[in-house]
Amino acid sequence: MDAIREVERYLDNHRDELLEALKELLSIPSISALSEHRGDVRRAAEWIAHRLTSAGFEHVELMETGGHPLVYADWLHAEGKPTVLVYGHYDVQPVDPLELWTSPPFTPTIRDHQLYARGASDDKGPTFLHIAVLSAMLKVHGELPVNVKFCIEGEEEIGSAHLHAFLEQTRDQFAADLILISDTTMVGPNQPAVVYGLRGLAAAQIDVRTAASDLHSGLYGGAVPNAARAVAEIVASFHRPDGSVAVEGFYDRVRPLTEAEREEFAKLGHEEEALKQALALSDLWGEPGYTALERMCARPTLEVNGIWGGFQGEGTKTVIPCEAHAKLTCRLVPDQDPQEILDLVEQHVQRHAPKGAKVTFIRQDGGRPYVAPYDHPALQLAASAYEHAYGTKAVFTRMGGSIPVVETFSQLLKIPVVMMGFSLNDENFHAPNEHFSLDNFDKGLRTLAYYYHELPSAWNQH
Amino acid sequence: MDAIREVERYLDNHRDELLEALKELLSIPSISALSEHRGDVRRAAEWIAHRLTSAGFEHVELMETGGHPLVYADWLHAEGKPTVLVYGHYDVQPVDPLELWTSPPFTPTIRDHQLYARGASDDKGPTFLHIAVLSAMLKVHGELPVNVKFCIEGEEEIGSAHLHAFLEQTRDQFAADLILISDTTMVGPNQPAVVYGLRGLAAAQIDVRTAASDLHSGLYGGAVPNAARAVAEIVASFHRPDGSVAVEGFYDRVRPLTEAEREEFAKLGHEEEALKQALALSDLWGEPGYTALERMCARPTLEVNGIWGGFQGEGTKTVIPCEAHAKLTCRLVPDQDPQEILDLVEQHVQRHAPKGAKVTFIRQDGGRPYVAPYDHPALQLAASAYEHAYGTKAVFTRMGGSIPVVETFSQLLKIPVVMMGFSLNDENFHAPNEHFSLDNFDKGLRTLAYYYHELPSAWNQH
């Protein structure tokens, strides 16, 4: 354990310097969605590349993906030890509405033991923890306990647009034994969580047309189809009155939750009353037989994201809409397949299209669900590392959201993905006043130092 | 009959002059909805007032209603004869999109035996026919066969905003035996129609709220209510699968169609296939047991005019909408009451609000349905007058639309309303290239000359 303590001491002694370095990175407005920030995005990539080079990493490169560059670097001299692929992203979300920020988004500011800046918690802060810990290890010991490859991308906030195709062509370069990602959230301020599953996604738009043009309800009302009513009937048909999805075959491939998984969820002590109050809900809603947390994290769902047709202005317009639309996304769990689910939804839509309604079904994004074997030693070690730093037992959980890159890695590299995050759900990523807890900054450094140090021996049990 | 022939001869001899006069009126852009045309609206009122004064009408006045002025004039020297209140409107709809007009909207132009101009058929043309005929009668005979009052308003296209309150205060001045309005349409080019019924209107908006803000479908999907789904369920609940309205009590006060009425509708020879083709419908729709024409004209209906909630942009946004909305209007028939219908719809909405959805029901416009006794001699005479001019038997019909002023007159003055129009459904009122058939201009003059001349003797059978 002396080896870890030395690294921890180094990190403690250089804490101010590390925080200043993170502030430097946070002050670069690397907004990937806005073309006027293209130069800033590259500048952030160059900052990371320079930092990794200075620390002693090798083969440092800005790889051209077709979009914003990806930062690659490696250190591969731990012969016979596992290779960790560290994924993170240096691009950030846009900042509007700017007037709601207390301090400017690219002027990193510490208030109340929180570091405020766009990207602080998503994902420059957590990504920086890996760079800082591994650099400290190289500095202190002149070597690393494991082999490491960095894959820090610049397009996560725009859907990792080029990553999948790029990794398909370059997969040999990224070959590793496991992937480590810090881009998920903890359960609460002192409750770390190892995320071992993510839901998949299947999205579609429904276009309904009933006539060549809108019709006057005085002249034709009562005799012709109405597209707004038709789309409402289709949308209303997606769920049974009890809240379960009525699409035939929707649940067929769903892998049932194990008793062990349900026990883990139960341990989280999720408060349904608190959720209702926090979101100002009069009632929860959804599939019977599961807790709200299970429904949010580990059960598939179909949500209407938007519906529109006809007149939306003030007052009255006596029109019979000739077209109407709905957008929907399904969140998927193993072993549902996005394309198969879209097939089932499309069949359902066509079967439930009312008389006189021509329905077009447009397929949009899709992503497979992901579940890691949570008894894998690389995942169990994550829990031990958290416990070392936080003094709290970590929970294993699945998340309701989708991180397409996880499925990409899993599919292309066929290795486990370990998700250990240091952000909190209320840290306003994607919103004004994004911030990152300095407590998690400090404990994150210790967690990762422990993880990297202990990985070789944990791996041997594999 | 010599008296009529003299008037007809006068109208024939002065046809060009009359057309030029109508073109003058049509060249004034009296768009009531646009404040920059306020002066033009008044100019049109003044043009009519001046025309009526020159013709020998008395008490000519621009009455201030609180909005655009109303033109009043009378001739009340036909002692012992009925008094006709002639209603029309001199305001017109806006003209955009201007680029779709073949000739400028306020440069009246004759092409293919049609007079093109904004307001030509709605309603300056038909209103002018009354002025022309009655002026000709005064000129030829020095007197009229009946007493006449004019009520030509300037706010019909903006919902007759001030008329009801104004007439309530001034009803004595407008006292009459019947009201004559030419602001409806004929069934076809040579098929005149006496409109004896109009549907009423009851409008409302439904606002659904489920949470304080939109929620991320990855985090919360499957566990919380969705406002877009909730509004769809409410909208879908309004109709039974067979197309009838499912709101409890909705049909309770509906006066059944008589056999005679159904025979009149059947005589119209309405082609359902032709309707489907004209509107590009794959199917008709609606309440079983009635023809499409009966459903459009004489049965009540509930139509959704608009629906909206959540994301309407390109691509995917994984949001659970926290609010959603729908607008609806009911078309009503005797003896349905707009307020009572809104009560029933509101009860239905609250009963069908899904769990977790807070629903607000906002009442909007309402208007009572109107049906005249179509065996009244003033209505029967209208059919004879049409037949005299067109050589075709007129049909009696009810119209699906609502003309709030008809209900206002009926309610305040408690006298029959005779609706005999000269416009055709395809004459583009409210659209670019509005036009009025010169054939109906000529036959309209003859129809009205006959009507006014014969009214006293028809009235005696009353």
Side-chain angles (χ1 to χ4, degrees), chain A residues 218 226 304-305 307 313 315 319 327 400, chain B residues 218 226 304-305 309 313 315 319 327 400:
Chain A
N226 177 319
V304 185
N305 309 117
I307 189 169
V319 72
K327 281 180 187 282
Chain B
N226 176 319
V304 185
N305 308 118
V319 72
K327 282 179 186 279

Side-chain angles (χ1 to χ4, degrees), chain B residues 172-186:
Chain B
D172 289 350
Q173 182 165 359
F174 292 92
D177 294 300
L178 76 155
I179 292 153
L180 192 51
I181 301 180
S182 296
D183 197 19
T184 48
T185 55
M186 312 201 331

